[in-house]
Amino acid sequence: MTPTLARGLGVAALLLGTVVPAFSQDITFTDQEGREVSLAGPAERIVTIPMPMASSVIAIDGGTDHLAGMNPVSKAAITEGILGKIFPESRDINDSVTAANFVPNVEELAAVNPDLVIQWGGRGGDLVDPITNAGMTAMLILYGTEERTRGYMGMTAEALGKPERFAEHEVWRDAVMSEIEAKTKDIPEGERPKVLHFSRILNGMSAAGSGNNYNDWYINLVGGKNAAADLEGSKPVNAEQVAAWDPDIITLNNFEPGLTVQAVYDDPVLSLTSAAKNHRVYRLPLGGYRWDPPNQESPLTWMWLANIVHPELFDFDLRAEMKSAYKTLYAYELSEADIDSILWMDMQGDAANYDAFQAD
Amino acid sequence: MSASEEGLASLARPFVRMPRAVAIYVGAIVVLALVLVTGVSVGRYAVDPVRILDIVGQSLADPFRDLAEVDERIVMLVRLPRVLLVALSGAALAVSGAALQGVFRNPLVSPQVLGISQGAAFGGAMAILFGIWGLPLLAIVFLSGLSALALVGFIARINGRSEIVTVILSGMIVGAMFSALVSLAQFLADPNGPLPAIVYWLMGSFASTTWERLFVAAPGLAVGMILLWALRFRLNVLSLDEAEARSLGARPDVERWLVFALVAFIVGSQVAVSGIVGWIGLVIPHAARLMVGHDHRTLLPASMLLGAAYLVAVDTLARTMTAAEIPLGILTALVGAPVFAVLLRNHYRDRTAK
Amino acid sequence: MIALENATVRFGSRAVLESLSVAVPIGRSLAILGPNGRGKTTALKAMLGFQPLDTGSRVAPKIVGYVPQSASLNQRYSVRDVVVMGRAAHLGLFGQPGPEDFDAASRALEHVGIAAFADWMFDRLSGGERQLVLLARALATGSEVIVLDEPAAALDLRNQERLLRLLTALRDERNRAIAFTTHDPNHAFAADDALLMMPGAETLCGPVDAVLTSDNLERLYGVEMRHTTITGPDGRTRNAILPAFAGKEAA
């Protein structure tokens, strides 16, 4: 072969390499465990095993058409929360494809015939191998930081063939985060209220510690400090320890059905914390998804918490923000009653600094 | 005395019971008192010792007074019921172990061997899975612990008489089965809902102790202990082999099941309020035997005192060592297993030496 | 009294006891003889009520004073505590031994001649001493029936003597029914009657002198037996039975 011919062939190959993929529209990216994920085209039948992802897929996709299966706990949030109202057909989506503990039911999964399965990475082969061994494509995501959250939301948008949806979303996240950070990054530790998040409180208490914990991250973002920073991750604690920490603000999770702020006010020891005495006990709102873990409504969480933690610094018009966000995410017009319900107004309407969230 | 009898005198040391036993009891009571006082005095929320005396004193004077301050509530509503429940549980579990070891004529058995703890744990797991709490949960745990025992009885009763080895094997089978069912319950549960409660509960914890829980568990623990103590002489007889025991007027088959039922009563009460706490019934009676011998008339009270002191000490560590509560079952296993290994070696070394 | 009436015990197809009828009234003592495997332990167990009978019945008081061949392993109690366990039948399920029970235990220890050992640890005694403690325990039950399983089998000569002397003494008190198994025919002299467990589930029963003939014993053991007399240093003579192979050929 002559050098000229070789060069010519090389150029041709290069051209083909760039042109052909464009024609075949296949989607390739690397997931958060460094695996290459290849799809022949935008995913049409996605199964989401991590709990927040069902609502994220719906939000990015703008509907339920491409969501074929989800985690039963995601389903619970949908039926309990507003997403089930916005997208009533979501109640019919298969939730038997996995157990609550993320171990997939391969037969059920195969019956659903997904072209993409979103699953947790970093938690061992038991969660992943059944999927890949059955010949299905898995996309693995990692929990914990805002960076990772953006990473996997971006991947999801790409998989759906709608990268622009995430691009807009990221702009919003960035804007809110910068706005909050600008005011809080220089707050000295002494002026940061102690915030304690109970990941479990009924029949045994667990608090969210620091160390790869999203609750801890946004507590710090909004200018608070994690009362349970001593703990690694989410760990069991006793009432005495909580009294010793004496948090200024207490937040409650959305994973315990029927949980109300009375769980704190009725407890003999918790009711004597500064948080309880000052009526600063709040259950995190439950919107399109629970506001505790990272999801597409996280910026709303940050704004909500910022208003609560530093009312002297922040005055977000949360109701307006929520209406705007839901329009963008779900093409839905929130009613005042919807908002009250999401923010648990019945339960904690009279909590400190909550009047900022009341309808005018 | 004959020459041989005098020769024997050097080998058979006289067992003068009274003063030595008294010394041991006094010692054990002092240790228990110290451990209880320490338990009430320490915790993640620092309370001054003088203040503690003040709080306790005021409450003794007026038991129903209103507790307004956080330190009062912590001492009287969090630490005190917990220390008392732990002491009661430790004593009751130790006595159950001692009684079982007597009846089985084998020092290597415990309530877990009969599958009672696992049965009770399964009942509790199912109850939690269905969102049942409080008194109904306790009732379910009792019943499932007892049903594990009944199942063991059914499997072991092959030709109308229960052989001990068969009972042990049946206990292992039933225990394994209920453990598997607990794992199934875990699998079915929502990991962010009831499951953490199940997992935590299976590793044992007294973190949720309130006076109410104490009053609910105490009758079962106390009645079980008292009745086992009342059987102390009978246990001596039952720890002889079958033929000897029967010739002395005992009916080992039947009486053994009475002991089992009392143990189930105790273990069910304890598991209901604090999950599976292991190794107490196995290790404490051994230590007690080393101190006071095999006679159940001294072994049972000694086990109670030691069991109470030991569990309170370990639980105090579990709730004060770190900010997070360490599940008690982990600590009792970490301490109990090596201690038991040493006791086991000594036991077999003594046996082969004889 | 203690008795078996028409008792039959089969292990599989083999009949170990075949319509055995034997009675030991109060005041009499019975020695059960036979080689191993012939059923003397089965007969004893049947009397004690530990062996279910295929046919026939058993007559016995509610509590029988049983002296096993050796004690259960776990006897780390004082001698007095071991003996007082014999009082269990009188105490019921939740009873605790009181002063009268300890008195009964002391009396039993004296009866057997080991009162000096009352405070010693049981597991530190020799085999012979332990056997005596178990006998004291059986006496402490207050039962009129005492049954011993090969009481002299594991004992050295010194302790055999002691035990046999005790058995004879107990017999001579004439207020109990005593039964024991042994594989040494000489021990039968401590009893009034002997039950020979012959081959083929046949049995011979009767007063010792009548039943312990050389022929019977030869049939029993399959070994030639000789009657002999032994003269002691005090001039008194005793009758004894020895296997023909005992001793050494005289020159």
Side-chain angles (χ1 to χ4, degrees), chain A residues 51 100 203 236 238 240-241 268, chain B residues 43-44 73 79 133 191-192 325:
Chain A
M51 294 176 213
N203 292 288
N238 60 43
E240 224 185 288
Q241 179 63 78
Chain B
R44 298 296 294 185
R73 290 188 182 184
R79 288 186 196 166
W133 290 103
N192 280 301
E325 271 255 0

Side-chain angles (χ1 to χ4, degrees), chain B residues 58 87 155 159 175 211 217 226 229 252-253 271 288 337 342 345:
Chain B
Q58 284 187 44
I155 296 173
N159 50 1
W211 284 105
I226 289 171
W229 182 74
D253 320 7
V271 169
V342 171
R345 280 198 61 200

Side-chain angles (χ1 to χ4, degrees), chain A residues 1 6 21 39 61 81 83 141 146 175 180 208 226 271 297 316 319 349:
Chain A
M1 185 177 294
L39 299 165
D61 197 30
L83 212 61
I141 66 176
E146 171 65 10
I180 297 177
N226 189 345
S271 57
E297 293 180 28
F316 290 105
R319 295 182 86 98

Side-chain angles (χ1 to χ4, degrees), chain B residues 12 15 17 230 241 244 297, chain C residues 50 72 81 96 119-120 137:
Chain B
F15 179 65
R17 199 181 332 149
D241 78 24
E244 283 182 64
R297 288 174 290 164
Chain C
F50 297 158
S72 318
D81 285 333
Q96 304 300 318
D119 289 310
W120 303 111
R137 184 177 73 187

